[in-house]
């Protein structure tokens, strides 16, 4: 449906890397300010890496709120497989993403996310994804997010996303 001008744009972001998320959100924020608008945002996935980096320090001149609720829990439980993760080569990582998803798991993710969003009655004006395309699918399955404008912002090259 057509929307009129928004004074405050509500933005949700899904990504796993703190600096890439901050790059996208601060760029959008500056563009909105230049157009006479403001922005509030939330990172849906709070277990972003690197863990040692302070997330809010990356958002200068922006209000940074780390909101943990049913929505962030659904996203975290769908994306993270193990914390901390030690690979077969004994390399240690902060966490491991779920490597592959069945269609049923994607549908379940969409249903659980829709339920968490509906329970909170939250509204969003722009959805920003800073992670490869595999994380977009559940949002197509999530009522309430299907009609929200979507921005894909990633630093990954095409070869990274090939199977």
């Amino acid at each position: 449906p057509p929307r009129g001008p928004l004074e405050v744009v509500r933005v949700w972001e899904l990504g796993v890397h703190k600096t890439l998320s901050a790059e996208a959100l601060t760029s959008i924020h500056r563009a909105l300010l230049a157009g006479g608008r403001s922005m509030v945002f939330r990172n849906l996935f709070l277990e972003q890496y690197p863990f040692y980096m302070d997330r809010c320090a990356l958002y200068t001149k922006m209000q940074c709120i780390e909101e943990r609720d049913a929505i962030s829990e659904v996203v975290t439980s769908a994306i993270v497989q193990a914390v901390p993760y030690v690979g077969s080569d004994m390399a240690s990582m902060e966490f491991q993403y779920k490597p592959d998803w069945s269609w049923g798991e994607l549908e379940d993710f969409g249903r659980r996310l829709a339920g968490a969003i509906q329970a909170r009655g939250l509204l969003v004006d722009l959805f920003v994804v800073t992670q490869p395309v595999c994380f977009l699918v559940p949002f197509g399955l999530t009522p309430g997010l299907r009609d929200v404008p979507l921005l894909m912002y990633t630093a990954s090259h095409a070869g990274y996303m090939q199977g």
Side-chain angles (χ1 to χ4, degrees):
R3 298 178 185 198
L6 301 170
E7 294 297 319
V8 177
V9 178
R10 298 161 296 197
V11 180
W12 287 1
E13 183 273 338
L14 175 63
V16 298
H17 197 280
K18 287 178 184 173
T19 58
L20 184 59
S21 297
E23 179 182 325
L25 292 171
T26 56
S27 296
I28 293 166
H29 181 245
R30 287 184 59 99
L32 289 169
L33 285 176
R37 295 185 175 90
S38 64
M39 176 180 108
V40 293
F41 76 94
R42 87 178 269 180
N43 301 102
L44 295 181
F45 184 59
L46 296 176
E47 283 71 24
Q48 294 175 311
Y49 69 91
F51 281 166
Y52 64 84
M53 185 178 288
D54 177 18
R55 172 194 330 277
C56 290
L58 299 170
Y59 296 99
T60 58
K61 301 181 183 175
M62 295 173 68
Q63 184 178 16
C64 177
I65 300 169
E66 296 185 344
E67 186 173 355
R68 291 193 184 275
D69 61 6
I71 296 170
S72 59
E73 178 54 36
V74 166
V75 172
T76 298
S77 68
I79 295 174
V80 174
Q81 180 170 317
V83 178
Y85 171 70
V86 178
S88 58
D89 60 355
M90 298 309 291
S92 178
M93 296 170 37
E94 292 169 330
F95 56 87
Q96 179 189 23
Y97 306 120
K98 186 168 178 48
D100 52 16
W101 307 37
S102 70
W103 186 253
E105 289 171 320
L106 291 172
E107 288 178 321
D108 181 59
F109 180 20
R111 277 191 300 273
R112 292 186 306 125
L113 186 60
I117 292 168
Q118 290 169 355
R120 295 281 315 272
L122 297 177
L123 299 174
V124 59
D125 301 307
L126 176 65
F127 198 87
V128 178
V129 177
T130 59
Q131 191 56 26
V133 179
C134 64
F135 292 146
L136 291 177
V137 176
F139 299 99
L141 299 171
T142 307
L145 290 181
R146 289 183 185 143
D147 297 327
V148 173
L150 177 68
L151 172 67
M152 179 70 176
Y153 187 103
T154 183
S156 299
H157 56 84
Y160 173 75
M161 292 187 274
Q162 295 174 356

